[in-house]
Amino acid sequence: ALPISKAAASALRNLAANNDQAQLAIAQAGAPSVLIQLLGHFDPGVQAQAAATLGNLAGDSSDNHYDKQVMIARAGALAPLARLLGGDTPEVRAVSAGALRMLATNNMDNQVAMAQLGAIRPLVQLLGDESPSAREEAAAALGNLVFYKDEIHSGNQVAIADAGAIAPLARLLTDSAGSLQE
């Protein structure tokens, strides 16, 4: 039987996708803190839905995009998402990387926090994951960790290179399994 929490997270994930009004209502309903708790659920399916929902809540180009990212990070999402980069299933690893990617987009505070939490090395390790979507999300997350508006975050740039990302990223240039080449 499908856990009710997984079904609810899935519904919120879909409602939050590119919908600023729904994202605001979901945040006001207190869902982010519960979603963060669900990142520690024993069922990887629940973990994946919670991570993907947090990514959808953080990810868009609305005027309050930064505020939503900060709210999710301050609620404690970054550390459990970073832990799930080593999750049991490819889906958990991919959606956790995707959520971190969305939380890092043009947000220097979250970029610094992710580096301090140790998220860079597991993201680099995901570049060699069996799952094409995990590889793709990890590459995109690493890119977002070094880019802030029109500037380069040089501290993360060095940290990512030092973690060994360059060679696996170069190999992914010819990876036809994922959607990177579309």
Side-chain angles (χ1 to χ4, degrees), residues 12-28 31-33 35-36 39 49-78 81 95-107 110-111 114 137 144:
L12 291 172
R13 172 187 185 176
N14 294 337
L15 288 166
N18 301 311
N19 185 326
D20 193 48
Q21 273 189 300
Q23 291 166 358
L24 185 62
I26 291 166
Q28 288 172 338
S33 60
L35 289 163
I36 292 164
L39 295 174
Q49 289 298 333
T53 304
L54 288 166
N56 280 356
L57 285 173
D60 66 24
S61 56
S62 66
D63 291 340
N64 63 348
H65 179 227
Y66 179 85
D67 297 330
K68 288 185 281 191
Q69 291 173 314
V70 169
M71 180 265 303
I72 293 167
R74 284 193 182 144
L78 300 181
L81 285 168
V95 295
S96 298
L100 289 171
R101 170 177 62 91
M102 300 312 287
L103 288 162
T105 304
N106 287 322
N107 189 313
N110 285 354
Q111 292 170 0
M114 288 177 206
E137 290 292 358
N144 283 4

Side-chain angles (χ1 to χ4, degrees), residues 26-27 87 92 105-106 123 134 136 147 151 155 162 170:
I26 291 166
V92 168
T105 304
N106 287 322
L123 284 168
E136 182 177 3
F147 189 74
E151 299 176 25
D162 287 351

